[in-house]
Structure formats: structure tokens, C-alpha cells
Amino acid sequence: MSAAILTIGTELTRGEIVDANAAWLAERLAELGHEVRQIVSVPDEVTSIQTNLQRLCGDSSLVFCSGGLGPTSDDITAAALAAMAGVPLETDSGTLACIERRLTEFGRSMTESQRKQALVPRGSFALVNPRGMAAGFELQWSGATVYSLPGVPDEFRSMFLESIVPRLPKAPDGAPLQLMLRCFGLGESQINDTLAGIEAEYDVELGYRVTGPEVLVKVLSRGTDSVAKADRAITVVRSRLAEIVYGEGFESLAATVGQLALQRGWTVGCAESCTGGLVSQLITAEPGASDWFAGAVVCYAERIKQQLLGVDPMVLSRAGAVSEPTARAMAEGGRQRLGVDLCLAITGVAGPSGGTPEKPVGTVHFAVASPQGTQHEVHRFHGSRERIQRWSAIAGLSLVRRTLAAAKRD
Amino acid sequence: MSAAILTIGTELTRGEIVDANAAWLAERLAELGHEVRQIVSVPDEVTSIQTNLQRLCGDSSLVFCSGGLGPTSDDITAAALAAMAGVPLETDSGTLACIERRLTEFGRSMTESQRKQALVPRGSFALVNPRGMAAGFELQWSGATVYSLPGVPDEFRSMFLESIVPRLPKAPDGAPLQLMLRCFGLGESQINDTLAGIEAEYDVELGYRVTGPEVLVKVLSRGTDSVAKADRAITVVRSRLAEIVYGEGFESLAATVGQLALQRGWTVGCAESCTGGLVSQLITAEPGASDWFAGAVVCYAERIKQQLLGVDPMVLSRAGAVSEPTARAMAEGGRQRLGVDLCLAITGVAGPSGGTPEKPVGTVHFAVASPQGTQHEVHRFHGSRERIQRWSAIAGLSLVRRTLAAAKRD
């Protein structure tokens, strides 16, 4: 049961908006066991829409269209599909009644362009739009089922979930199953080498996705015993990758750290220099972070390290701001001043300037102070300022994760 | 001169990542005067890649491929293109030397999967990858020029800008000129209404792009005197939008704030509660932030507001953590404790929980303390936690910008 997605709009092919509908829908379809074979974006042009739709209907049994159903002159999807199917457009009376009701609520009257939003190809099944005005529809054509939905993300998503999912054919037995492990600490190619042989031995496919510093390892299995095969393979992957695996599925590193902190009953704080608040931002992006995260000092200026974290000026002047002693003093001072059980400190050279031969751009010192003492690590990252900051933040969170996991085992 | 984009990766057709490369590239191509006719995403499969590439090369003279050039077993783009062109893969010695140099820096040795990243189709022109290992290439095939680049966004973007733009055929004469103003403070439709009539009067097209809280206004002019027309139009747009315009082109709001702070000679700090470090992160993402930004206190727990910012416990218990008195006390306390000229404070309810009928989710108080006194603002934002945090951070930076701009005029 293969599927295709056609997103329609010149704003897409001009790159003015990112095609978030397609990714959202592809993910839902994968969850439902339908394999998306192609995602295509075309401008608001009748020929482009028709040519691509004909091709996609030949390749896939389910084709989903997004966009071009609104009230303005550049909204031409319904007309293009009707012409392709050789049927006229006709007004869906249910949708027209909804539009009238909405306009009355707003105290407005019906215009010709609003009326246009109730037009669907004759013979199609009109789909209600609970969040907007334009009707969607389902059209049988050339052996495929074509769904057409408005491109406004909120409308697109709710109509798919509420009107289309109940009408979708069930995915075939033995639909592919995918499990995903999240890793930090080795590069994609090292992980690939570590996992050599697993594909053949366990009859699965391995895939990799690099999202900045993190590498996601995907285990895909097909066929009748796909669940058992995936389970066996993932156990082996986990044991080979050991400590670098921090989570599963779509769980973030910050969320994993939060779970461990809650299990351990520890509060957490940060003293951030070169990451400038990024670690705190990643943590507080998680709902419920206030249950375990107290706060942070972003000590960008050297005097803040002294005044707010109590770092000894002698340590700063002797070892320098980017050094093991300063990182340790920041973590220990932060732990005390923030009143937390565990404090992560990060100090480094994010660049592009500020590097020296001894401490080149990308040199970053980490320390974690906890009831079990203070751990230190130093790393050298490469690339842009943004990249160094992101790698530093993830490496810092990873150190916290390992500290919490080790403490848990004690 | 029409173009097409083919993004390759099962993570795209499974919706695991949003295709940001395609939108970014489509926008760059539009700026350069090349019209993108189609954007297609396919899984990591030889047949899908080849079939679509053949079709796109028939329709467009420039075809850009992204992804599938890495070291792992699912990276098959180079092999698929070589097979399609009927040529073998061969090692690009320049790239191999780069990979070796990088590995030596990291203290690692070359593996087979790393060596794979230097393979390009025979007869193609290899493109240097300054940020990573995998080579890109340019291939002439079937009357079209095909560019293949790694999918890692940082590598994709820098290679396009540095290696491909200089090699691209020039766009036709009278190619459109586009200028962009960056705004915060009014919605798209309000801005649209404010600028009514400008298109006809100045012979330009106006376009809008909403990037979260910010609205970018694009002025597009065509024809022989496109520069003069765009200049005249942009002057009028600026004067009508007045204070809500904060920058031009790709300048960030944090960078604008930095320039104003340096002009004024003021240092800046933050006291962040519900934004959890996001403002500091946006500021320190800018190179040179240390010239004007001292640091921040992320006071996520209430006691941090007392201990590190000196907020009176009576203020907190009487007015609550999310209130005008607390925001003012945070800004004034932060200004004193951080030893800065200007301190921004943000406290609010980011959700999803924590809202009350009096202070619903999305209620955010802002204060800026400076030598000219303390200003306060309150806003009510809507949507997800992430959206409320982002809007709060931008609204906070915008308040700082206006405070600095007013101080400069005194």
C-alpha cells in the first residue's frame, strides 16, 4: 500500500515556506504502515499539478494533495483535479452551509471568492473542514484514491486525522516496523563500522540520521515476524553501542537527563560560558523541567564567573577562563550558589575569534559537580561558532546523563 | 533557466525530518533568478533516485540533489548517479587528502566507509566540502547540469554558496531584485493593510514571509531600473512601518540589539524565567557578543529569583512570580547583581500546565532596567510551549532594542 504526497503552492517552490505538512503527513502515514514513495512540491500551475498527479496515481494507490483550495485566484487545485478527471466542479451544500454559518458569526456576508471554497469535483466525496472554510475531498481516479486538503497546517492536520484516517484502507500485514536509537559520542561512520554484519545476520535494514552532534540509528524490519526480528536486532545494536545510546524514538537528550534526575531525586543547575544559555534552553524546552531544573548562571563575562559563581580570581588569572580548574570551580560554585545537587559547567572558545595556539577555537572544558565529587572532561570541536556551541551543549548534557546513570547504579 | 531539487533520504519520506534544505535552496535560487519548477523527495533507493532524476533532467536545465553521500551503507546517491550516467565511481584525490587530514587531526585512521565519501562519478567535477568529509560533484547528463551535495544542512549550505554559486550560469537580464525588511510587532495581514497601494504606485511586488514571531517584508522589482524602483519603494515601506522594522536582509534581532548597545556603550544582561536561557542563547549565537553581553541568570526556580537576583520574597508571595512587580524586581536586581547598564527580565507561563484563569498560559511580563529607569510590558501569547518561549524571547529583545534606540536619541 504505497502512498505519495503532492504539495501545491508557489510559496513552496520559491522556498518562502518550509513544507512542514509533507513531513507531518509522511510521519503519520509511516506510523499507520503506509510507505511514502515520493513527496513532490509544485507551483500553483494547472499543468504541473495535473502532470505530477497523473504520474503519482500510476505509482501509488493513495495520493495526498495539500494546498490550493483557498478563496483567491491562485487557488486552482480543485479545478485542476476536476479537469483531469473530466468532471465539472459543483457546490457541496454541506460546506456552503458551514461557510454561511461562519460568516454570519463574523457578521460578514458571502462573496463569490468565499463561495468558491465549497466547490468540489462532481462524484468526489466532500470532507468537512472544522477549522476553516475550504472543503477537502476524496476522489477515485485511475485506480488510485486522491485526497485533497487545504494547505493551512492546522486545517490540513485536523482534517487528515478526523476525516481521512477513519476512511483509510488498513495497512497490509507485515508492514515495515522501525525502531530508532539515539546516540551521542561516536560519528556516523564509526557507528556504522561498529554495527557491521547486523543487517545480514538479523535480516533487518540499518539506517542512520545525523542531527547535529546526535546520530540516530534506525532498525527497519519487514515481513511476518518483523517485531521479533527488530527486537533481536535492537538488543544487539544496544549492546554494541553501549554507553553512547541515550534514548529511543523521539526522546530528547534533555528529556532523558530529566528522567534520570527525577529517578535520582537530584536537582540540576548549569554554569554556562561559551554555550551562552543553550543548555538551559534545551532543558527548559521540555515541559515539566521545573520539577528538576532550578536554573543557571550564564557567565559570559569573566567577572560574572567571580561575582555570581564565586570562582577565585587567582584560578582565573593563573589557569585562564578556559581551563580545567576554572571549569571545576564554576561547577562547584554553581552547585553551591544555585543550591542544586548537580551542576554542569561549560567554558570554552566558541570562536570565530579568541583562539590561541594552546587553546584553539573549539576547545571546551566541562565539569560536573555532584555529591559524588567533580568530574572533568575536555573536548575539541570543529566548525562554525553555532556548531561548536551545539556540540558543547550536547556533550555537556551527555556528561550529566552519564553522571546521573552512574549515580543511579550505586 | 528552470531548476529542480531532488532531496534523497528515507528520513524525508518517512517524515522524520522536515526538508529544510529544499526550502533554503529554493529561496537562494529564486534570489539568483532561477525558477524552481519542482521539489521532489525520494527514499534511499536506487530506482527512485534514477527515475526521478531522469524525469527532472528532462524538464529542467539545473537539477540539485541533496543527501545520500555519507559513509554508511544507506548512502547510495553517488552510485545511483554513476550507474545512471553509465560511468564507474572513482576516488577524488583532493577529497581523500582532506579526509585524511581531518582524521589525522582527530587522531583517527581511515576506514573503508570514510574512504567511500571521496567517490564521485567518473567525468564529474568534484566539489570541495569545507565543513565535512563527503565530496559533492557536478555532472553533465542528458542536457542538464546535475549538482549533488551532502544533506547535512551546514555542509549543504556552505557548499552551495562557496562551490556552486560561482559556477552557476548567470540568470537572464532583468532578473528580479529583491530587498527584505525584518519586522516584529504587527501581524502579516496588518502589515499588508499598512502597505496598501505601494505595489501599484512604485511598480514593485510585495511579499511576506512569517518566521515565527517575525514578519519579513520582501520588495521585488523587475526590469531595467529595478534597483532605483526597489530603493524608492523600500523607503516608503520603512516610513509606513516605522518602529516595527528592526533590520534588513538576514540580520538577526540580537545582532541589531548588539549594534545599538555598542553605539550606546552599554553592557547588557538578562534575568530569564519562562524563556529558560533562550534570549541569552540568541544573543550569544552572535559572534562578538562578549563585547556587550555580560551574562544572565536563568531563574527557573522561584528561590533563584530571590537568591541570585535579590527579588524580595514579599513581592513574590504578594504579586506572584508572573507579575509586573516581580518582573521589575528581577530586572533591577539583575542589573545590580550582573553589574550591567541594561537588564532585561522575562517571567511568564510557557505552559502546557501552570495557567490560571487570572494568568492563563501565554501570559508573559517583561521589564527592562537601565539608567533611564525601568520599563514594563505584558503580553499574552498563544500556542505551544515552544511558540510561547520563542515569541517571548523575541518580544523581550524587541523591548531592549526600542529602549536602546530611544536612549541613543536622547
Side-chain angles (χ1 to χ4, degrees), chain A residues 53-69:
Chain A
L53 202 57
Q54 278 157 5
R55 183 171 57 78
L56 296 174
C57 286
D59 293 343
S60 298
S61 51
L62 299 171
V63 179
F64 297 86
C65 302
S66 159
L69 298 179

Side-chain angles (χ1 to χ4, degrees), chain A residues 7-299:
Chain A
T7 55
I8 298 163
T10 306
E11 69 276 21
L12 294 166
T13 54
R14 290 185 65 92
E16 292 164 8
I17 59 170
V18 172
D19 194 357
N21 280 349
W24 181 88
L25 178 59
E27 194 169 28
R28 296 294 83 69
L29 290 170
E31 287 165 0
L32 293 164
H34 299 286
E35 193 179 353
V36 175
R37 304 288 309 153
Q38 215 172 112
I39 300 171
V40 180
S41 303
V42 294
D44 296 301
E45 284 177 17
V46 173
T47 321
S48 284
I49 295 170
Q50 290 173 341
T51 315
N52 279 284
L53 202 57
Q54 278 157 5
R55 183 171 57 78
L56 296 174
C57 286
D59 293 343
S60 298
S61 51
L62 299 171
V63 179
F64 297 86
C65 302
S66 159
L69 298 179
T72 59
S73 55
D74 58 357
D75 290 312
I76 53 169
T77 300
L81 266 67
M84 184 186 80
V87 296
L89 286 172
E90 56 186 23
T91 299
D92 175 58
S93 56
T95 300
L96 195 66
C98 280
I99 297 178
E100 267 170 347
R101 211 165 36 238
R102 282 195 155 242
L103 288 171
T104 310
E105 260 178 50
F106 298 146
R108 290 197 257 147
S109 57
M110 177 83 77
T111 65
E112 211 38 58
S113 55
Q114 275 143 354
R115 187 180 299 273
K116 183 185 156 203
Q117 299 178 96
L119 292 174
V120 299
R122 176 179 295 168
S124 69
F125 179 83
L127 301 168
V128 179
N129 182 347
R131 313 266 174 121
M133 307 242 206
F137 55 87
E138 175 189 309
L139 181 69
Q140 301 295 331
W141 188 73
S142 182
T145 305
V146 179
Y147 298 94
S148 180
L149 294 178
V152 181
D154 192 32
E155 301 175 23
F156 179 82
R157 292 172 192 203
S158 60
M159 285 176 81
F160 175 77
L161 295 175
E162 290 159 29
S163 305
I164 296 185
V165 170
R167 296 177 63 80
L168 273 187
K170 253 182 82 84
D173 262 353
L177 175 79
Q178 181 178 286
L179 300 176
M180 190 159 70
L181 291 181
R182 307 181 70 91
C183 307
F184 172 77
L186 285 179
E188 186 185 10
S189 69
Q190 291 165 294
I191 292 178
N192 183 62
D193 293 346
T194 309
L195 301 182
I198 288 182
E199 288 183 311
E201 192 173 346
Y202 295 88
D203 185 25
V204 294
E205 289 167 43
L206 297 181
Y208 302 93
R209 189 173 127 202
V210 181
T211 63
E214 294 157 272
V215 178
L216 312 187
V217 178
K218 298 180 289 183
V219 176
L220 184 75
S221 72
R222 300 173 196 268
T224 43
D225 58 342
S226 60
V227 175
K229 283 195 294 187
D231 279 345
R232 280 195 298 273
I234 212 114
T235 307
V236 182
V237 170
R238 265 190 182 281
S239 84
R240 287 212 199 154
L241 296 178
E243 201 170 50
I244 72 159
V245 178
Y246 71 78
E248 267 181 30
F250 292 91
E251 191 176 38
S252 75
L253 180 51
T256 308
V257 165
Q259 282 159 21
L260 289 170
L262 287 172
Q263 283 166 21
R264 190 75 185 84
W266 282 4
T267 54
V268 173
C270 301
E272 300 191 55
S273 183
C274 66
T275 45
L278 180 54
V279 175
S280 306
Q281 188 263 311
L282 291 172
I283 288 173
T284 56
E286 300 295 328
S290 56
D291 294 340
W292 57 278
F293 181 69
V297 172
V298 179
C299 46

Side-chain angles (χ1 to χ4, degrees), chain B residues 319-322 348-363 380:
Chain B
V322 177
V349 191
S353 59
T356 63
E358 297 76 42
K359 291 170 187 173
V361 168
T363 307
R380 170 84 197 279

Side-chain angles (χ1 to χ4, degrees), chain B residues 12-238:
Chain B
L12 294 166
T13 54
R14 291 183 66 92
E16 293 163 8
I17 58 169
V18 171
D19 194 359
N21 280 349
W24 181 88
L25 177 59
E27 193 170 30
R28 297 293 83 69
L29 289 170
E31 286 166 2
L32 293 163
H34 299 287
E35 191 181 355
V36 174
R37 303 287 308 154
Q38 213 172 113
I39 300 171
V40 180
S41 302
V42 294
D44 297 301
E45 283 177 18
V46 173
T47 321
S48 283
I49 296 171
Q50 289 174 340
T51 314
N52 278 284
L53 202 57
Q54 278 158 4
R55 183 170 57 78
L56 296 174
C57 287
D59 292 345
S60 297
S61 52
L62 299 170
V63 179
F64 298 85
C65 302
S66 159
L69 298 179
T72 59
S73 53
D74 59 354
D75 290 312
I76 52 168
T77 301
L81 267 67
M84 184 186 80
V87 296
L89 286 172
E90 57 185 23
T91 299
D92 176 57
S93 56
T95 299
L96 194 67
C98 282
I99 296 177
E100 268 169 346
R101 212 165 35 239
R102 282 194 157 241
L103 289 172
T104 310
E105 254 181 56
F106 297 148
R108 290 198 254 147
S109 60
M110 177 84 75
T111 65
E112 212 37 57
S113 54
Q114 274 144 356
R115 188 180 299 273
K116 183 185 156 202
Q117 299 177 95
L119 292 175
V120 299
R122 176 179 295 167
S124 71
F125 179 84
L127 301 168
V128 180
N129 182 349
R131 313 268 173 120
M133 306 241 206
F137 53 87
E138 176 189 309
L139 181 69
Q140 301 295 331
W141 188 73
S142 181
T145 306
V146 179
Y147 298 95
S148 181
L149 293 179
V152 181
D154 192 32
E155 300 175 21
F156 179 82
R157 293 172 192 204
S158 61
M159 285 175 80
F160 175 77
L161 295 174
E162 290 159 29
S163 304
I164 296 185
V165 170
R167 295 178 63 82
L168 273 187
K170 252 182 85 86
D173 258 356
L177 175 79
Q178 182 177 286
L179 300 176
M180 190 159 69
L181 291 181
R182 306 180 72 91
C183 307
F184 172 78
L186 284 179
E188 186 185 11
S189 70
Q190 292 165 296
I191 292 178
N192 181 63
D193 293 346
T194 310
L195 301 182
I198 288 180
E199 288 185 312
E201 192 172 347
Y202 295 89
D203 186 24
V204 294
E205 288 166 45
L206 297 181
Y208 302 93
R209 190 173 127 206
V210 180
T211 65
E214 295 157 271
V215 178
L216 313 186
V217 177
K218 298 183 289 184
V219 176
L220 184 76
S221 71
R222 302 173 193 269
T224 42
D225 59 342
S226 60
V227 176
K229 282 196 293 187
D231 279 346
R232 279 196 297 272
I234 212 114
T235 307
V236 182
V237 170
R238 264 190 183 280

Side-chain angles (χ1 to χ4, degrees), chain B residues 259-260 263-264 372 403-410:
Chain B
Q259 283 160 21
L260 290 170
Q263 284 167 21
R264 190 76 184 83
Q372 308 195 321
T403 307
L404 286 166
K408 242 190 81 202
R409 281 197 297 270
D410 290 346

Side-chain angles (χ1 to χ4, degrees), chain A residues 370-386:
Chain A
S370 79
Q372 308 197 319
T374 304
Q375 313 292 321
H376 167 262
E377 275 182 9
V378 59
H379 291 279
R380 168 85 195 280
F381 302 120
H382 296 265
S384 65
R385 176 180 178 83
E386 187 192 346

